[in-house]
Amino acid sequence: MNADISKKFVIEKAQKSRFHEVDFENLLFGKVFTDHMFECDFVDGAWQTPTIRPYQPIMVEPSWKVFHYGQAVFEGMKAYKDENDQIFMFRPDQNQERINKSAVRLAIPEFPKEWFFEALNRLLVLDQQWIRKGLGNVLYIRPFVFATEPAILAAPSTTYKFMVIMSPVKSYFRGDVSVVIAQHYSRSADGGVGAAKAAGNYAGQFFPTNLAAKEGYQQVIWTDANTHTYLEEAGTMNVFFRINDTLLTAPVSDRILDGVTRKSIIDLAENEGIPVEVRKVTVHELVAAAKDGSLKEIFGAGTAVTVGPVKSFAYDGVDYPVIPPAESYAARFKERLLNIQYNLAPDPFGWRYQVTENNY
Ligand code: COI
């Protein structure tokens, strides 16, 4: 790793908190940011002094490579508070590993694990009042890294900025969503960057998702780019199908993100004795299951939404309703995950990570 990790963090505290200016009952996802942010530059082949400072605009140059070639990756994480004001994150080791995997795919230098964790622990302790107690209140954490070389030569940047910003949020989607299965546009391709949390993967979804929205669908279920026959992801999430009582989801690949919520749901299901099949799922079998009544549920799984039920899907111009049984898997997994995340239940998997000043 290109960094002298014995370097001390520089901390500049905000003079005044903006906390009291925020209407926490009417938060739009990711529109309000906490008092502090983390910043660290990669210059001269090494990560420089890790710095925490008040949240503020940064100066940019129009020639920064990130604006021209999209050399940028990010993560999504959350922090939760229990009734005793203890702060937790959920499987942060997974996000730490994944941001570096994503970085490698985009030819960005990896960021030191020690600083990733120190930055998060310090930020969360400094801005702890922004993590409000109570189920549904959560702090969304956005680590990201992008190319800052002022040069428009199409080659990897020689300089980068790694940042973390944090935003108090409530739920991501309101209500169950209707989705349309992609038959023309694709999210990712074999050998591409689909498995990386690359900024451009999300930008590429905006246009087809807007088209879907005009038809009344909130999200697109992405299919494989070659044949549009395999169901891969839903919007910005991994996707699960319940046919009879079996849970199905696509295997991760270089087209599909290795989602933390996805892998946690697979573990929970196996732990509960629910049959799980991690295999390619075809549009054809989904439509057949919807027609013969064996399709019980579809739900997305991702950090922002946790578990997002789908109330109908459209394919070839036909809408198929999905009516979950009373014993819904989506509701069950969401409850189990939230109970672990908010320290309301034992954590048999060791997924909870407590944030404390002892961690730095
Ligand atoms: C997630 O839920 O994991 C996401 O990446 C959503 C984010 C794009 C808001």
Side-chain angles (χ1 to χ4, degrees), residues 29 74-78 95 98 140 142 172-173 197 202 205-206 235-238 257 259-261 301-306:
F29 189 93
F74 73 93
E75 268 304 320
M77 309 170 71
K78 280 177 171 172
N95 302 91
R98 193 172 63 188
Y140 187 79
R142 173 53 62 86
Y172 191 64
F173 295 114
K197 233 169 151 59
Y202 296 78
Q205 295 190 28
F206 293 161
T236 60
M237 296 176 283
N238 295 111
L257 191 81
V260 181
T261 313
T303 299
V305 73
T306 314

Side-chain angles (χ1 to χ4, degrees), residues 313-359:
F313 74 91
Y315 183 68
D316 256 349
V318 181
D319 286 314
Y320 299 89
V322 185
I323 301 159
E327 293 284 299
S328 146
Y329 283 177
R332 173 95 190 116
F333 296 136
K334 184 161 188 165
E335 187 187 356
R336 279 207 71 190
L337 286 170
L338 292 177
N339 282 343
I340 292 175
Q341 290 163 342
Y342 284 87
N343 194 25
L344 293 168
D347 174 24
F349 304 95
W351 289 339
R352 222 162 25 222
Y353 170 96
Q354 187 163 2
V355 172
T356 70
E357 292 179 23
N358 303 331
N359 292 339

Side-chain angles (χ1 to χ4, degrees), residues 53-94:
R53 64 169 82 185
Y55 180 90
Q56 60 193 271
I58 55 168
M59 293 281 286
V60 303
E61 284 212 36
S63 54
W64 275 6
K65 285 196 173 178
V66 64
F67 300 128
H68 305 277
Y69 306 117
Q71 202 189 1
V73 298
F74 73 93
E75 268 304 320
M77 309 170 71
K78 280 177 171 172
Y80 311 82
K81 204 178 248 179
D82 74 2
E83 281 311 304
N84 300 315
D85 286 323
Q86 300 185 101
I87 302 165
F88 298 95
M89 285 188 284
F90 184 71
R91 309 187 74 178
D93 52 315
Q94 300 293 317

Side-chain angles (χ1 to χ4, degrees), residues 181-301:
I181 295 178
Q183 292 186 265
H184 174 71
Y185 292 101
S186 306
R187 179 189 164 274
S188 62
D190 288 338
V193 293
K197 233 169 151 59
N201 283 346
Y202 296 78
Q205 295 190 28
F206 293 161
F207 177 70
T209 307
N210 279 349
L211 293 182
K214 284 192 188 132
E215 304 289 317
Y217 304 104
Q218 287 87 48
Q219 286 297 337
V220 176
I221 292 198
W222 303 107
T223 49
D224 67 294
N226 292 340
T227 66
H228 293 290
T229 50
Y230 299 109
L231 301 158
E232 304 212 315
E233 291 201 21
T236 60
M237 296 176 283
N238 295 111
V239 63
F240 286 86
F241 308 94
R242 172 179 175 184
I243 296 186
N244 290 317
D245 284 339
T246 301
L247 194 61
L248 305 171
T249 195
V252 292
S253 67
D254 58 4
R255 294 195 303 265
I256 300 181
L257 191 81
D258 185 9
V260 181
T261 313
R262 173 191 175 279
K263 65 175 88 169
S264 306
I265 287 175
I266 293 172
D267 288 350
L268 285 174
E270 284 172 348
N271 173 259
E272 295 198 9
I274 291 171
V276 182
E277 292 180 17
V278 178
R279 63 164 173 84
K280 290 182 172 185
V281 184
T282 64
V283 182
H284 175 75
E285 71 180 298
L286 188 73
V287 170
K291 284 183 178 163
D292 71 18
S294 57
L295 176 66
K296 306 290 185 208
E297 295 185 70
I298 303 178
F299 54 91

